[in-house]
Amino acid sequence: MSDDHSHAAIARRLKRANGHLETIVEMIEQGRPCAQIAQQLQAVESAIESAKKALIHDHLGHSLEDTLKAAGSKGRAVLKDFRLVAKYL
């Protein structure tokens, strides 16, 4: 995936989260139940966390990929291991 394509996808995620957050503000102003608001805030928080992880993974992948691929099969193995571990960031 190209850097521009992945950044565009991340921007779309954040725009959706922003729209959802605006809806939550309206819910608060309307006096909706706290449990409903908390549930929606959790969804927005998860969406932002997901976007952050995608951005970090994309950056690390691009930064390391060229360097480790240049190191041959050992570098590719290190990159593969790194990607497996990075899922837990």
Side-chain angles (χ1 to χ4, degrees), residues 10-89:
I10 292 167
R12 282 191 303 277
R13 284 184 189 190
L14 292 173
K15 286 177 183 178
R16 276 194 304 274
N18 184 55
H20 200 110
L21 189 56
E22 290 174 4
T23 299
I24 294 169
V25 170
E26 291 173 9
M27 290 173 69
I28 293 169
E29 292 171 345
Q30 295 167 357
R32 300 281 290 274
C34 288
Q36 288 179 3
I37 294 167
Q39 180 182 27
Q40 296 306 313
L41 284 169
Q42 177 64 39
V44 169
E45 186 177 24
S46 294
I48 292 170
E49 180 73 18
S50 175
K52 180 183 78 171
K53 286 181 180 182
L55 181 71
I56 291 169
H57 284 252
D58 184 60
H59 175 72
L60 291 173
H62 288 296
S63 295
L64 295 175
E65 192 167 358
D66 292 338
T67 302
L68 292 175
K69 281 186 176 179
S73 62
K74 186 173 182 173
R76 285 190 297 278
V78 169
L79 181 61
K80 181 180 177 185
D81 285 345
F82 177 78
R83 285 187 172 149
L84 287 172
V85 171
K87 289 192 290 186
Y88 300 104
L89 289 176

